[in-house]
Amino acid sequence: MSTLYARDEAAVAGIEKLRFFPLEVVSGSGSTLVTPDGRELLDLSATWTASGLGHGHPAIVEAVSRAVRTAPGSGGLSAVHPDSVGLAEDLLALVPGTGERRVYLGHAGSDANDVALRACRHATGRRTVLAFEHSYHGGVGVAMGVSGVHVDAGVPADPDAVFIPYPNPFRPGADGLDADVAACLATAEQHLAGGSIACLIVEPILSDGGLVVPPDGFLARLHDLCRAHGVPMICDEVKMGLGRPGTLHAFEHDGVVPEIVTFGKVLGGGLPLSAAVGPAEILDHPPAAALLTTAGNPVCAAAGRAVLATIVGDQLADRAAEVGALLSNALRGLAGSPGADRIGDVRGRGLAIGVELVDPATGDRDPRLAAQVVYRAWELGAVVYYVGGNVLEITPPLVLTEAEAIRGAEILGAAIADAAAGRVDAEEVAKYAGW
């Protein structure tokens, strides 16, 4: 174990660690991370999408440097400044919607979702939150209690949460995918019609639950039900939105305009920043009910404005669609190579790609293999993690080049082959718990 990793173990609380291999980094540029010994790693995670514009992006560097030099205070709690107001205006201009709307600014997707959920409860006078199994909406408060991933891990569910199945095209039930969708929508309508639902919260792509891409039209049908019963839909775009799926917003795929949309991760370009965009009648009340002293601070707000301007100005959604298709095709092209029988599915949209690893004899999920593959990929020069137990989550920076996409597929192919052939030290891998 290196000195830096040993220092981390001795100083940083384990409660906030999710480790898959002993990753140490001292710098980064674009889609490249650099280790203390100078080794370059291809970043296929973008820090779980938070570094969506890559590392050291000049637009963010310039914006943050300016803001630090002339920062008018440290937040928007009891004062207003140009970048916090400007960021809210930018989001209102980029997020479709009708009527009078407001923007909540926070530090992470967790608090944006928590505030949106609490605001819906207050506005409607109802308590029940309709959410999905294996979902992820945050690590604090109500958002944590309605996150299926946390509940699966033993965290107490919010007492007023109701979880329904998320349709999985790769693993449909005995009666098929259409039956799964119909059953899900029927269950949702049953609860929505009961008059107790404060809101429904949904990920347009189930990310931490296994990068599950729902059937086309599912989100639209779900939203139609919500509208029919006067229940606001919260669309959690924290991880899958803002250019990553090949469109500016993931919900665009189904032509949906949710009542509330939440953002985080890429919005801050690596800095802590989140937002919720929704109706004034929901997000304005009660006053002073969501207080974070440094929320809307000049530095993070300036970074957020630079991120949005870059995504739009550099047409990064289109780039994600093109490079993502190249990367997905390269991964599918691994068929016939050593270990390729362990790849059960390659799915995704844009630069949100999931590779499901399976036991070739049974088709069952293979979490052991997934842990070994991400470890071996790190040894071979790439950073990638797994979600849902057995799915490689490939979410590189939106600035990934075509050459880097091809190299990433080659590294992952080699890592899968090595793990399948037993060339990965299982005891070493077991030191890192992952999920």
Side-chain angles (χ1 to χ4, degrees):
M1 182 182 296
S2 75
T3 301
L4 181 59
Y5 213 85
R7 286 167 56 198
D8 170 86
E9 289 200 335
V12 179
I15 200 170
E16 62 177 318
K17 296 177 182 177
L18 181 64
R19 302 288 167 79
F20 297 78
F21 35 81
L23 178 63
E24 301 173 318
V25 287
V26 294
S27 65
S29 177
S31 298
T32 300
L33 292 166
V34 182
T35 69
D37 60 0
R39 192 164 73 102
E40 294 188 347
L41 302 172
L42 178 60
D43 186 1
L44 295 178
S45 167
T47 316
W48 299 101
T49 76
S51 299
L53 265 60
H55 310 285
H57 193 286
I60 298 174
V61 171
E62 191 283 326
V64 168
S65 298
R66 171 187 58 78
V68 167
R69 283 195 302 268
T70 61
S74 298
L77 180 65
S78 299
V80 298
H81 62 84
D83 277 324
S84 63
V85 176
L87 175 58
E89 292 171 338
D90 293 345
L91 284 164
L92 287 172
L94 290 175
V95 179
T98 59
E100 193 173 358
R101 294 182 298 155
R102 298 286 186 268
V103 177
Y104 160 85
L105 297 177
H107 291 321
S110 294
D111 66 70
N113 283 326
D114 181 70
V115 166
L117 291 160
R118 291 192 289 113
C120 284
R121 282 179 166 174
H122 181 269
T124 63
R126 302 189 289 264
R127 296 286 304 172
T128 304
V129 173
L130 199 56
F132 285 86
E133 295 172 1
H134 315 307
S135 60
Y136 188 90
H137 302 293
V140 297
V142 180
M144 189 176 197
V146 303
S147 294
V149 167
H150 281 303
V151 174
D152 293 342
V155 172
D158 184 281
D160 296 302
V162 173
F163 295 92
I164 59 179
Y166 196 99
N168 186 339
F170 181 64
R171 295 187 179 278
D175 295 326
L177 181 60
D178 288 346
D180 289 354
V181 171
C184 172
L185 294 173
T187 302
E189 182 163 30
Q190 178 184 356
H191 288 290
L192 290 166
S196 65
I197 305 298
C199 59
L200 178 145
I201 186 166
V202 61
E203 295 169 272
I205 297 174
L206 195 73
S207 55
D208 294 306
L211 214 143
V212 177
V213 181
D216 288 349
F218 171 71
L219 199 66
R221 295 171 68 183
L222 191 65
H223 189 231
D224 286 345
L225 291 177
C226 288
R227 293 178 64 188
H229 294 286
V231 172
M233 171 190 279
I234 302 172
C235 190
D236 180 346
E237 298 254 328
V238 170
K239 204 171 179 185
M240 293 289 112
L242 292 179
R244 179 159 299 283
T247 52
L248 182 60
H249 306 297
F251 58 76
E252 290 179 44
H253 185 82
D254 271 9
V256 171
V257 179
E259 283 67 40
I260 299 175
V261 184
T262 56
F263 301 100
K265 298 194 186 296
V266 65
L267 180 62
L271 293 175
L273 179 64
S274 67
V277 181
E281 62 189 20
I282 294 178
L283 293 181
D284 267 350
H285 309 287
L291 302 181
L292 296 172
T293 303
T294 54
N297 70 80
V299 176
C300 293
R305 299 197 72 186
V307 166
L308 294 177
T310 301
I311 290 173
V312 174
D314 290 358
Q315 300 179 311
L316 292 185
D318 291 342
R319 181 191 181 112
E322 295 168 5
V323 179
L326 177 69
L327 179 51
S328 292
N329 288 336
L331 291 166
R332 294 188 181 100
L334 296 174
S337 60
D341 59 344
R342 306 303 180 95
I343 299 175
D345 191 30
V346 177
R347 55 182 178 257
R349 294 181 190 149
L351 282 173
I353 301 168
V355 175
E356 179 145 356
L357 300 177
V358 301
D359 180 329
T362 63
D364 292 341
R365 295 176 174 87
D366 196 339
R368 179 196 58 79
L369 180 68
Q372 293 184 6
V373 168
V374 299
Y375 190 96
R376 183 58 177 153
W378 165 71
E379 291 183 318
L380 294 175
V383 173
V384 66
Y385 306 117
Y386 62 83
V387 292
N390 70 312
V391 180
L392 305 182
E393 184 187 71
I394 303 166
T395 55
L398 302 179
V399 297
L400 188 79
T401 67
E402 293 183 356
E404 288 171 333
I406 296 300
R407 181 158 61 91
E410 291 172 349
I411 292 173
L412 292 177
I416 293 169
D418 286 350
R423 292 192 287 267
V424 181
D425 188 337
E427 291 186 7
E428 185 64 24
V429 174
K431 296 177 183 178
Y432 305 95
W435 284 100

